[in-house]
Each structure stands twice: as C-alpha cells, then as structure tokens.
C-alpha cells in the first residue's frame, strides 16, 4: 500500500532514567524486553540482570535516556506476560554508578 | 495417576478446551503430535496445502466465533510459513494458538535439519510465546496459551514443542482445568463519571467504534449509548457491523476511503468518544489534524493504547462492554436535534458514490447484488485491495462478526482460508469471500482443501488482471508511471477452480448475471463466481498519504 508519511522521530533527551523490572526468570524474557526497545529505536545505555530470591524471578535494571515515548514504553513493558513490575528511578540511583569501575 | 506422552497430553488438553477443529500440515518434528491427534474422536483435522492457509483458517474460526482457534505446523519452513498469519492475528487482535514442532532439545542451536528459532522470530508478533523445555511444562503452558490468547485484548500465542518433549512420558493426577479469561480490569468509576459529564455537556459529539467493540461483545451497548445520547456513530474497518449501517445514527466507516460526509462530520466534532479503537493511521489520516476541535474520551482494554497517538482528556482502561454498561445510566437522554440535522445535511450534500449501482458486472453493483441475494446471517470475508475497500464501503453490514477482513496487516491471501475457517466453525452459514485476482493467487492452493472439505464458501472474484490498488496509486501519486502492477498473462480462473474440483460460474458470459449469481450463492457447497472489473475503476474517495482526512480526492 502507500508509504507512511509521518513526523520524524524525536531526538531523545539527555536526562537519564533507570528502570527496575521484576520478571519471571526463564530463557527468552530478556529477548522479549530488549526487542521492545530495539524495535522502537530506543537506545538502552546500560543493562543488568540477576536472579533474585529462589531463582524463579530476576531483576533487570535498564539505563535509558528520557524520551517522550518512555511512558508508552513502560506501558508496553507492563503488558508483557513475564513482566511482574516496573519501577522508575531518576539517574541519581546508584546501581549503575557502582558498576562503573568495571568499565574502565 | 494418568500416564501419557506429551503429544497425547496436548491433544487431551485441546479437547478439554473445547477445540473441535484444527488446521495444519504435518512434518517430521510434529509427527508425534499428529500421531496422537489421529486417535482423537473429537477433533477434526483440516489438512491445509500451505501453513499460511492453516493459520488463516484458524483466524477465520476465531474471528467468527470469538473463541481461540488452533493451527499446527512442523518446524523450520512449516513454522516460518505461519509467521504472516500470526502477525496478521496480532495486528487485528485475534485469539489464536499456534502449535509448532521443533527439533529435539539437544539439537536446538545446532542448525539441525528444519531448525529455525521460531520462538525468537515470533517475539514481536505474538501476544506471548513459549518454547516448552520439559513435558511437565505442558500442563501449565497449554492452558496459559489459551488464557493469554483470550484475556483482555485478544491475540495470538505460539507454543513451540520440541519433538522429544512430545514423546516424553508425563504423569499427572488430574488434567488442569480448561483455561478461562482473566478478570477484566476494575472499573474506574471516577473516569466513567467524567466521561459521562463530557458527553452530557458536548454540543457536537461523535462515537468512534473500533474492533474492540466486536471482540468485547459490546455492540449492543454501543448502539444503546448512541441512541440514548444522540451520537452520530462512525466505525473503523474492524468495527463494521457493530452498528447496522442503515441505522439512522450511523455515519459509516471513517478514514482513507470513508464517505466524504463521514470525515466532514468528524472534522466538526467537539467530543470524540473512542471505544475499542486505536487511532490507526488509515482511520485518522494526519493525527494532529484529526478531529481538531474535539476533546477525546478513549476507552480501551489495553492500557498501552491510551494516549498512544492522541492524548485523551478522559482515558478509561477497561473491558469496553463493562465500561459502556457503567456509563449508560450516567448519560442523559438527548435528541440533539441541531447537531443531528447538521449531520443529515452533510449526508445529503455529499451522497455516497456507491448508492443505487445496479449492474452486477460493476464493482459496486456486484457488492450490492451479492447483498441483495443474501440475508444478514451470511458471513462476508475479503482479501486485501480495491475489492476489500469497495465491499467495506458498500456492503450493508448489520451484525458483529458478519465481516472478516485483514485490517492491520492487510494481508493479500487472507480471504479464502479465513472464509473456510468461518465455514468450519459455523457450518450452517453461507460464507462469501470477495477477492481480487492478485489476492486469490496468493493462497490459491487452499482451493484443494476447500474442495476436500466441501464447505459452503462462495468466492466472488473481481478480476481486473492487475494489482489494482498499486495501479491506482501509481496513477494518482506516481505520475501515472505504471510499473509491475499489470499482469501480462491472464489465467483462466474458471478453469483453475474447476481443476481443483470447485464449481465455477462466469458472470461475464452469463445471459442473466443477477440470476446466475443468486443461483450460485444459494447452491450449497463451494463455488467460484468470476466477474471482470474495469481496471480504471478506482477506490474513491481517497485521502492521499500524509494528508488530513478532510483532503479527500474523488467520490
């Protein structure tokens, strides 16, 4: 059919946001989540994932740039069957700061 | 204690879920499941000729019934052939469970024969998907697949089952109970009260119904709301049938190929009540200029649709039938004489080009002749292209689930297998599939399945020997540089149908085309009805790409 004529993608902002996501722990969860961001050309700056409690669940930390699509992205994330909760933190959160030593 | 193989367990769970028809094609990696299926006395298997056909048959069953339907395919090419039908189900929110065979667990990742990562491939086109890694998981995964497919906003779920998992022995005390949908979201009474206030205060409101009204079974509530509040009502392509098109409040389908008056009414709206629709670009044109003066009330079961394209003034997350029921007692009865007479004057100023077209050998005339020969119990399916839009514009849809079309993905080849699925699910109905010569060729192999199953499917083929909508757009928007849209050969579709064992009639040569058409439609069993259509007939009105809905050309 016809080509889509749409507004160009907005540039993302410079403010960083940290998302803390509780998920079921099984192979494939990560690809569901990363696909969602990649498809929308939403750059994920940092990613960290470890199992929690008895290993049935994991916690994923994502570092992303603030963008007006972020709220929509969070709603999309919450729709995924394996996503149990999404929490937003400001860039002041220390989780990625404490990892910086490993990236020098 | 029951003991059985994974394959037998799947078949038992499908039976217990109420599945009575499965469409599919066997192959190496799914043979254990087919072996188990051969022992089922409850499930009828329909052997498609291409997995995409099987996927669309499942869609047809699901679209006509609202209940999740099932298709099977083997690993590798079998699974990849399903992909288009799955993506189509995703975009139109159709509940479907696709079960694919996979190479044995130990061979996954080795580039084994007929191995593809169908799990990875279907992540973005399913509502959810599973790769089953042990037979015990099937006890949870199969009911979960159905529950997810039918809960909230429906959608397709894929379950990939390695061959060794199908063969493993599982022991269980009892089968898990058949899946039921999750409870709908709690009603947001404050938002509902606010929506009622906006409706009561509006001067020029419009009701905008989407496919969610059909999925939720909310057509009756939507019509009641329109009547109670005096709301002119437009429907998306997916919602046709939610309100009878000849209802005095119906202003027909909106968007790219809407009647002129429909888009002009929307332009003047001061309130838009959007129910189960998603502001799709084909429906609203340039988003910023759609209903520029209107406040927006948006009701949807999927929270991620709210505020996605247009910021709503009142956003209500909930099952639309339940929300409308809660809304109704709060909405004042209003005759809205001034606004409705304005709508009537726009209707009479811009009459639709498809009214009173009588010659059954023209595109609109054919659609109306088919409608005249049938009652509202018939199901109308289409393929994708000009014929689809002509039927959407001109066919008098009067009930939900009367109309099956590929809206979001716009898949040519959808029509015949989807119509077959409808006929499989509801065998006493006449199912008509309007198709074009381009679309029909994309799943023509399913005519063999149609002949085998001898379903009551009538294919009405509008033949202009071209990719009509492409030809139209090249003429309108690409300086008449017609390229790769006209066919050089001209297959004999009557012979093709007859070659598959399907009766066919040609209205081109019929002495009494209207009589021949009616007789073909009323004879039980399949039939192909061939009609040549003028290639220079375009779909009008048309909103050019990127334009606002009020900038229509033609019509």
């Amino acid at each position: 059919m016809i080509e889509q004529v749409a507004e160009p993608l907005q540039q993302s902002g410079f403010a960083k946001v940290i998302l803390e996501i509780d998920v079921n722990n099984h192979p494939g969860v990560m690809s569901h989540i990363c696909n969602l961001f990649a498809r929308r050309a939403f750059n994920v700056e940092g990613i960290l994932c470890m199992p929690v409690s008895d290993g049935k669940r994991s916690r994923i930390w994502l570092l992303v740039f603030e963008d007006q699509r972020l709220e929509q992205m969070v709603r999309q994330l919450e729709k995924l069957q394996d996503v149990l909760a999404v929490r937003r933190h400001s860039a002041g959160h220390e989780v990625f700061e404490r990892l910086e030593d490993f990236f020098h | 204690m029951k003991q059985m193989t994974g394959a037998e367990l799947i078949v038992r769970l499908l039976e217990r879920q109420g599945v009575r028809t499965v469409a599919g094609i066997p192959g190496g990696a799914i043979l254990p499941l087919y072996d188990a299926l051969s022992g089922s006395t409850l499930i009828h298997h329909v052997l498609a000729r291409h997995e995409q056909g099987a996927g669309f048959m499942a869609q047809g069953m699901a679209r006509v019934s609202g209940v999740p339907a099932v298709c099977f395919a083997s690993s590798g090419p079998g699974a990849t052939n399903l992909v288009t039908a799955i993506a189509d189900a995703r975009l139109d929110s159709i509940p479907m469970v696709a079960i694919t065979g996979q190479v044995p667990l130990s061979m996954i990742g080795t580039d084994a024969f007929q191995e593809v990562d169908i799990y990875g491939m279907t992540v973005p086109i399913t509502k959810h998907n599973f790769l089953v890694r042990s037979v015990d998981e099937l006890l949870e995964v199969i009911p979960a697949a159905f529950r997810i497919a039918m809960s909230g906003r429906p959608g397709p779920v894929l379950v990939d089952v390695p061959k060794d998992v199908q063969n493993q022995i599982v022991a269980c005390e009892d089968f898990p109970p058949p899946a039921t949908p999750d409870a709908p979201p709690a009603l947001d009474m404050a938002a509902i009260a606010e929506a009622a206030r906006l409706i009561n205060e509006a001067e020029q409101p419009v009701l905008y119904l989407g496919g969610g009204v059909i999925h939720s079974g909310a057509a009756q509530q939507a019509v009641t709301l329109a009547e109670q509040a005096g709301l002119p009502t437009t429907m998306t392509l997916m919602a046709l049938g939610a309100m009878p098109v000849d209802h005095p409040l119906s202003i027909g389908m909106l968007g790219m190929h809407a009647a002129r008056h429909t888009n002009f009414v929307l332009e003047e709206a001061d309130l838009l009540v959007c129910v189960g629709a998603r502001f799709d670009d084909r429906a609203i044109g340039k988003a910023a200029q759609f209903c520029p003066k209107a406040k927006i009330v948006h009701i949807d079961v999927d929270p991620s649709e709210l505020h996605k394209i247009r910021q709503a003034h009142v956003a209500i997350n909930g099952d639309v039938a339940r929300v409308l029921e809660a809304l109704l007692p709060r909405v004042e009865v209003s005759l809205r004489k001034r606004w409705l007479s304005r709508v009537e004057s726009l209707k009479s100023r811009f009459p639709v080009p498809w009214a009173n077209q009588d010659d059954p050998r023209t595109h609109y005339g054919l659609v109306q002749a088919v409608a005249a020969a049938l009652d509202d119990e018939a199901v109308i399916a289409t393929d994708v292209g000009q014929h689809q839009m002509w039927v959407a514009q001109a066919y008098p849809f009067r009930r939900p689930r009367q109309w099956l079309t590929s809206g979001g993905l716009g898949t040519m080849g959808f029509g015949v297998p989807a119509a077959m699925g409808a006929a499989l699910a509801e065998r006493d109905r006449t199912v008509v599939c309007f198709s074009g010569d381009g679309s029909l060729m994309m799943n023509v192999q399913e005519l063999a399945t149609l002949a085998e199953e001898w379903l009551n499917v009538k294919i009405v083929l509008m033949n202009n020997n071209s990719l009509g909508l492409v030809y139209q757009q090249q003429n309108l928007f690409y300086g008449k540089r017609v390229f790769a849209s006209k066919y050089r050969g001209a297959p004999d579709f009557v012979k093709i149908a007859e070659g598959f064992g399907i009766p066919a009639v040609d209205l081109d040569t019929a002495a009494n085309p209207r009589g021949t058409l009616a007789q073909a439609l009323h004879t039980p069993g399949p039939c192909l009805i061939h009609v040549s259509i003028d290639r220079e007939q375009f779909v009008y009105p048309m909103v050019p790409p990127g334009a606002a809905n009020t900038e229509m050309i033609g019509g």
Side-chain angles (χ1 to χ4, degrees), chain B residues 207-535:
Chain B
L207 184 59
Y208 158 34
L209 305 179
V213 173
I214 309 287
H215 298 314
S216 166
Q220 197 197 337
Q221 291 89 331
V223 172
T224 307
L225 174 66
E227 289 170 348
Q228 193 169 318
L231 306 175
T233 302
T234 185
M235 288 163 275
T236 66
L237 182 70
M238 299 312 297
L240 294 178
M243 174 185 269
V245 74
D246 32 17
H247 190 288
L249 288 167
S250 169
I251 55 170
M253 180 176 75
L254 78 163
M256 180 172 271
H257 295 299
R260 287 184 163 258
H261 64 76
T262 312
N263 286 340
F264 288 137
V265 169
L266 283 160
E267 176 78 2
E268 294 183 13
D270 69 353
L271 177 71
L272 186 69
V273 182
C274 170
V275 184
R278 59 182 176 86
F279 294 86
D280 174 74
D281 52 273
R282 293 296 145 121
I284 71 164
K286 198 168 189 175
Q289 287 172 35
F290 176 65
C291 295
K293 302 172 200 131
K295 288 191 171 171
I296 290 171
V297 172
H298 193 175
I299 308 170
D300 205 293
V301 74
D302 178 352
S304 73
E305 287 300 340
L306 304 170
H307 312 298
K308 183 180 85 175
I309 306 288
R310 283 286 293 269
Q311 193 70 26
H313 297 79
V314 179
I316 305 174
N317 174 225
D319 172 65
V320 295
R322 295 182 71 233
V323 172
L324 290 178
E325 265 160 27
L327 187 61
L328 281 171
R330 290 166 174 78
V331 170
E332 291 162 11
V333 173
S334 171
L335 295 176
R336 250 183 256 280
K337 277 190 183 157
R338 200 186 53 78
W339 174 225
L340 291 180
S341 72
R342 171 69 185 151
V343 171
E344 280 311 310
S345 79
L346 284 168
K347 268 192 194 177
S348 50
R349 237 174 87 199
F350 301 103
V352 295
W354 48 88
N356 306 316
Q357 300 274 346
D358 288 333
D359 181 356
R361 286 190 281 219
T362 64
H363 53 300
Y364 285 135
L366 177 62
V367 174
Q368 307 215 332
V370 171
L374 297 169
D375 61 20
D376 296 342
E377 294 308 305
V379 171
I380 308 300
T382 69
D383 260 302
V384 168
Q386 289 178 315
H387 70 275
Q388 176 192 30
M389 291 299 116
W390 288 326
V391 177
Q393 290 173 325
Y395 198 94
F397 294 106
R398 295 198 183 91
R399 66 173 179 87
R401 302 196 185 281
Q402 184 184 5
W403 161 245
L404 316 179
T405 201
S406 168
L409 196 67
T411 311
M412 293 171 69
F414 168 92
V416 169
M420 290 171 59
L424 284 162
E426 302 195 345
R427 284 180 181 266
D428 47 348
R429 291 191 193 272
T430 299
V431 182
V432 174
C433 170
F434 284 93
S435 188
D437 53 301
S439 286
L440 184 65
M441 289 300 260
M442 291 212 185
N443 270 320
V444 73
Q445 75 288 343
E446 299 311 328
L447 293 181
T449 318
L450 178 57
E452 257 175 26
E453 297 288 322
W454 206 249
L455 298 165
N456 202 15
V457 170
K458 322 295 182 191
I459 300 163
V460 178
L461 174 60
M462 294 189 184
N463 183 3
N464 58 8
N465 205 33
S466 63
L467 293 163
L469 213 44
V470 175
Y471 180 78
Q472 168 170 348
Q473 290 177 26
Q474 289 176 338
N475 271 283
L476 294 177
F477 307 119
Y478 291 86
K480 299 192 193 296
R481 292 183 298 281
V482 172
F483 180 69
S485 58
K486 286 199 286 189
Y487 294 120
R488 281 176 290 165
D492 183 336
F493 286 99
V494 170
K495 272 192 190 153
I496 288 175
E498 287 169 350
F500 278 108
I502 291 181
V505 296
D506 192 348
L507 298 196
D508 293 357
T509 53
N512 171 8
R514 193 173 284 275
T516 305
L517 173 67
Q519 196 190 355
L521 291 172
H522 293 145
T523 308
C527 184
L528 182 130
I529 299 158
H530 176 270
V531 191
S532 292
I533 293 291
D534 179 3
R535 188 186 282 148

Side-chain angles (χ1 to χ4, degrees), chain A residues 1-5 7 26-29 31-33 35-36 39 71-72 75-76 79-82, chain B residues 119 123 127-129 133 148 256 281-282 286 302-304 306-308 469 473 478 542 545-546:
Chain A
M1 306 244 313
I2 311 175
E3 75 271 39
Q4 310 286 324
V5 179
E7 305 297 321
H26 68 80
V29 176
S31 81
H32 277 104
I33 289 172
N35 246 307
L36 206 62
R39 167 77 180 125
E71 207 178 309
Q72 173 68 18
R75 285 202 200 99
Q76 298 274 7
K79 253 171 72 173
L80 295 177
Q81 299 292 327
D82 285 317
Chain B
Y119 175 86
V123 165
K127 188 171 174 192
H128 193 58
N129 57 4
R133 290 177 191 274
I148 292 164
M256 180 172 271
D281 52 273
R282 293 296 145 121
K286 198 168 189 175
D302 178 352
S304 73
L306 304 170
H307 312 298
K308 183 180 85 175
L469 213 44
Q473 290 177 26
Y478 291 86
M542 177 170 196

